[in-house]
Amino acid sequence: MTSVHEAEPSAPAPGHVPREPVRPSAEPMSWAMLSRALAVPLILGLVCFLPAVIAAQPGSGVRDNAYWLQLVLACYAGARLATMILSTRRRLLQGIFWMFVYIAMGVAPFAQAVIGQTPTPVVGPRGDLVTAVALVLVGCAAFDLGALLANRRPLRRRAAARFGTGPATVHRGRLRVLVLLAFAASGYYVMKVGGPAVFFTSRQEISASVAASGVVTEGSQVGPAFLKAFGTVPALLGLLFCTRRLVTSRRARRSPSTVLAWGALLVLNVIVNNPVSNARYWFLTVLVSLLFTAFPSSPAMYRSVLALGVVGALVVFPYADRFRYDGDGYRPVESSSVFEPLATKDYDQTVMFANAITWVDTRGHGYGRQLAGSALFFVPRSVWDGKPEDTGVRVGQWMGMRMTNLSSPLWAEFWVDFGAPGMAGAFALVGYAAARTDRRYARAVSRDGPGPGSVAAVAVPLLAGYAFILLRGPLLQSVGKLAVAALCLLLVTSFRERGERRPR
């Protein structure tokens, strides 16, 4: 009689296909070792070194409560960003949130406090700026609390699974419809602005071409917004879905039709979604979503996006508006320090939050009116008399600014309508939703996920890239493309138990 350790294996059942043994990947182990090696210098660099270098810059800034609160916020966001980078889990939405907070609400406003310059003037008392920085800290803490509560709850199967349906997957036939819609909508967009060559001139030329196309009505920007949204978003989503199939399915890579469709969509996106004719934040959405879709299980790519994103935002982003205007209207940034552009342009989120606080003091809270205007963006003003304008535009008009295309960060949007308690509660919900979505994304791209047809594996990277636009605001300008993306996702989503299994 053989012992337990020497027992012969039982014969396989008829028709049984033996599975290959799963070999552990060396990448997680190597990245774990690399994470330990990078932990100390990364944390010191984000939390200590960079704030110290900024604090040592010459300037006329006043070192009052706003200065010290801004330093605390920069260090807090730096520590949380380092945690996201060093985490063994890929937390796309949470990582992008903390990268935005560290750059736009932490480091850049701290540089402004040191140098003594702001992109837009602070029209209210200094105390409103102190309140704004303190409320940003409250919102970040509420976001962390919501994420903590989400991580303590176990993930459960969706309710659809209990009724015999599967996870959200892409319907093949409707995906073809989306691809055809992308070519038709983008083709119409290209035709309206005068041909592909216009997309490689400047954003100013694109705006002028759209204005001359006849889709602009007096006092309304709904027509141009829908033209740009339908001309760019379906093309991007079609490319993301095809990229997902190519990187996860051998059958798709061997299919000439899939490869040709991907190549055609790539050319289409080079035309309508290039960095010359689009805003920097939108091109950032395109780049981040494409990288996260093409490398869904790569810790290296996830960490590189978060780490190099900080460097790019500080060094490249302020100079990346070269194609906003034509040659006569372009004014290059002249500075003697890498931190001066942070104080003179782009990063006006904190000071605009302070101005929004002052504006609310003169008129009271909206109690949901501004958010209702953003949610019902598609309702024309001829139907809704007194429809709210962008929060940034309203505050800019109240300030007497000639250029009212100003930011309104998510903190300001919540504060304007609901005050401090509502803002804290809203950010707790945002943190909870972000953490739950990150966990569902990790399940979607795992071996047990739906495979090449997973909708979450494309939708979450797109949302992560678009989070920059949502966090910067104003919301009324942000929800148009997001709504078009949601319609496209609804078009291709199916919950039936069908689709291609991931090859082993």
Side-chain angles (χ1 to χ4, degrees), residues 94 108 197 267 276 330 340 345 348 368 370 423 450:
Q94 296 174 79
V267 173
V276 176
Y330 175 66
E340 284 187 19
K345 58 186 303 185
D348 63 341
Q370 287 296 123
M423 186 205 72

Side-chain angles (χ1 to χ4, degrees), residues 106-162:
V107 169
F110 184 57
Q112 297 165 13
V114 171
I115 298 174
Q117 296 179 347
T118 55
T120 56
V122 180
V123 298
R126 184 74 174 177
D128 286 349
L129 182 60
V130 176
T131 302
V133 182
L135 287 174
V136 173
L137 274 167
V138 171
C140 291
F143 181 92
D144 262 343
L145 178 61
L148 178 64
L149 293 176
N151 290 328
R152 292 179 66 88
R153 288 193 59 190
L155 273 183
R156 296 177 181 176
R157 295 291 180 183
R158 295 182 181 271
R162 293 196 293 268

Side-chain angles (χ1 to χ4, degrees), residues 20-73:
E20 296 181 2
V22 179
R23 298 176 181 175
S25 173
E27 186 179 26
M29 181 63 69
S30 62
W31 266 108
M33 297 175 62
L34 188 57
S35 297
R36 297 189 192 101
L38 290 177
V40 174
L42 180 64
I43 294 174
L44 290 178
L46 293 176
V47 179
C48 302
F49 178 74
L50 186 55
V53 171
I54 296 175
Q57 298 297 308
S60 58
V62 180
R63 302 201 172 191
D64 56 357
N65 291 335
Y67 172 92
W68 295 110
L69 280 174
Q70 196 65 69
L71 177 60
V72 171
L73 177 57

Side-chain angles (χ1 to χ4, degrees), residues 207-267:
S207 300
S209 301
V210 171
S213 65
V215 299
V216 179
T217 57
E218 185 177 357
S220 176
Q221 294 296 321
V222 175
F226 272 108
L227 178 64
K228 292 181 179 179
F230 278 100
T232 56
V233 175
L236 174 59
L237 272 172
L239 179 65
L240 294 179
F241 279 119
C242 287
T243 301
R244 169 69 183 171
R245 295 198 65 83
L246 287 176
V247 299
T248 56
S249 171
R250 295 191 187 98
R251 183 183 302 176
R253 290 193 293 271
R254 294 169 182 169
S255 171
S257 61
T258 304
V259 176
L260 288 176
W262 180 86
L265 286 167
L266 181 62
V267 173

Side-chain angles (χ1 to χ4, degrees), residues 17 186 300 384 392 400 441 465:
V17 178
S186 297
W384 184 356
Y441 170 78

